[in-house]
Amino acid sequence: MKEKSNIRILIHSVYMILFYSLVGICVSTAVSYYSVEMYQKHYILCTFFAALITIPFCLRQMKCDGFLARERQFLRENVSVSNFLAIVILSISACVALNYWIKMLGLMELFHGYDRVEKLIYGNSLLEEFLAVVLAAPIVEELLFRGLVFGNFKKLWNCRGAMLASALLFGLYHGNMLQFIYAFSIGLLLVYVYEVFGTICAPILSHIVANGASVLMTECLDMSWVKGGRM
């Protein structure tokens, strides 16, 4: 009976990820059916609209699972400027440090699976990158991987095991080795931030800041070695 219950929890943990992926496939298919050129030119907006569709379902599921109850209490009692600044500084530092070590270790030259993704991402305008990469993707991914996956994994394992498993799944979700290394590493940071601050708003902010720093450094400051650091 316990084994069946654990299997149900595992399925319950990941089915919204499958839903998000399916929505993304449907949006991409619809756009490419209308115009392949439009799909290639505005690929990143498919991610944006898939995220917008998925976010309300994630919030509903988190509410049903009881994960949103503690959010209101925390936000009433623990919001402070120092917490906000700590998350911002930590996120920017992690983004720069991880990308620096990826560059220094030559991982961008060693793993080429990211090349195709990079071309699709950088074929879009800065506004489209901001909407999809800096805003929509961090929100939906935090609701999925920290809110639902980590929250349910803690029902199966201790906190450290749930952290590790959720970060591993977050890395695997990105589909290529370079992004796996970055996403797994930053995933550990994000789930730690979530556990320490006790609100999903904390890793959402951290993820937005990290992706925003990556976009800013790549597009505006010509620091092209930061290209691998987007989730």
Side-chain angles (χ1 to χ4, degrees), residues 52-71:
L52 287 186
I53 294 170
T54 306
I55 286 170
F57 290 93
C58 291
L59 290 171
R60 181 181 180 278
Q61 190 59 58
M62 287 186 68
K63 182 179 180 180
C64 292
D65 290 347
F67 298 141
L68 290 184
R70 67 174 185 173
E71 295 287 326

Side-chain angles (χ1 to χ4, degrees), residues 122-182:
Y122 286 91
N124 300 269
S125 68
L126 184 59
L127 176 60
E128 290 172 339
E129 286 187 39
F130 178 81
L131 290 173
V133 177
V134 180
L135 288 181
I139 294 173
V140 73
E141 288 180 359
E142 292 313 305
L143 294 175
L144 286 170
F145 289 95
R146 258 56 68 180
L148 291 171
V149 171
F150 175 64
N152 282 294
F153 277 5
K154 285 202 295 182
K155 299 175 183 177
L156 298 174
W157 306 298
N158 60 34
C159 186
R160 290 183 180 180
M163 283 181 169
L164 184 62
S166 63
L168 180 63
L169 185 60
F170 185 55
L172 291 172
Y173 172 78
H174 285 78
N176 62 79
M177 184 55 69
L178 184 63
Q179 281 189 298
F180 168 80
I181 294 170
Y182 183 88

Side-chain angles (χ1 to χ4, degrees), residues 37-230:
E37 182 181 356
M38 179 183 292
Y39 169 74
Q40 294 174 339
K41 188 175 181 181
H42 302 286
Y43 159 80
I44 202 70
L45 284 182
C46 294
T47 299
F48 172 72
F49 287 113
L52 287 186
I53 294 170
T54 306
I55 286 170
F57 290 93
C58 291
L59 290 171
R60 181 181 180 278
Q61 190 59 58
M62 287 186 68
K63 182 179 180 180
C64 292
D65 290 347
F67 298 141
L68 290 184
R70 67 174 185 173
E71 295 287 326
R72 300 185 186 94
Q73 184 69 21
F74 179 90
L75 292 174
R76 283 196 298 265
E77 299 176 356
N78 297 281
V79 174
S80 68
V81 175
S82 60
N83 286 345
F84 175 84
L85 290 176
I87 292 172
V88 170
I89 294 171
L90 181 63
S91 305
I92 294 175
S93 301
C95 172
V96 174
L98 282 171
N99 279 286
Y100 175 78
W101 284 109
I102 287 173
K103 176 65 175 178
M104 291 299 295
L105 294 173
L107 297 181
M108 296 185 74
E109 291 75 26
L110 182 61
F111 302 112
H112 300 289
Y114 181 66
D115 295 348
R116 183 182 64 85
V117 178
E118 180 184 339
K119 290 177 182 178
L120 290 172
I121 293 176
Y122 286 91
N124 300 269
S125 68
L126 184 59
L127 176 60
E128 290 172 339
E129 286 187 39
F130 178 81
L131 290 173
V133 177
V134 180
L135 288 181
I139 294 173
V140 73
E141 288 180 359
E142 292 313 305
L143 294 175
L144 286 170
F145 289 95
R146 258 56 68 180
L148 291 171
V149 171
F150 175 64
N152 282 294
F153 277 5
K154 285 202 295 182
K155 299 175 183 177
L156 298 174
W157 306 298
N158 60 34
C159 186
R160 290 183 180 180
M163 283 181 169
L164 184 62
S166 63
L168 180 63
L169 185 60
F170 185 55
L172 291 172
Y173 172 78
H174 285 78
N176 62 79
M177 184 55 69
L178 184 63
Q179 281 189 298
F180 168 80
I181 294 170
Y182 183 88
F184 173 71
S185 302
I186 206 75
L188 288 174
L189 172 65
L190 291 169
V191 75
Y192 175 76
V193 167
Y194 181 36
E195 188 66 15
V196 168
F197 287 91
T199 171
I200 196 65
C201 295
I204 287 176
L205 174 60
S206 180
H207 200 154
I208 287 175
V209 170
N211 279 15
S214 178
V215 169
L216 178 64
M217 289 185 286
T218 302
E219 300 289 9
C220 302
L221 302 180
D222 195 27
M223 298 171 68
S224 58
W225 52 272
V226 186
K227 286 185 178 181
R230 299 189 188 179

Side-chain angles (χ1 to χ4, degrees), residues 4-18 152-153 156:
K4 290 183 179 179
S5 177
N6 289 345
I7 292 174
R8 283 197 296 268
I9 292 174
L10 281 173
I11 294 173
H12 189 71
S13 301
V14 302
Y15 87 94
M16 281 302 302
I17 298 175
L18 299 177
N152 282 294
F153 277 5
L156 298 174

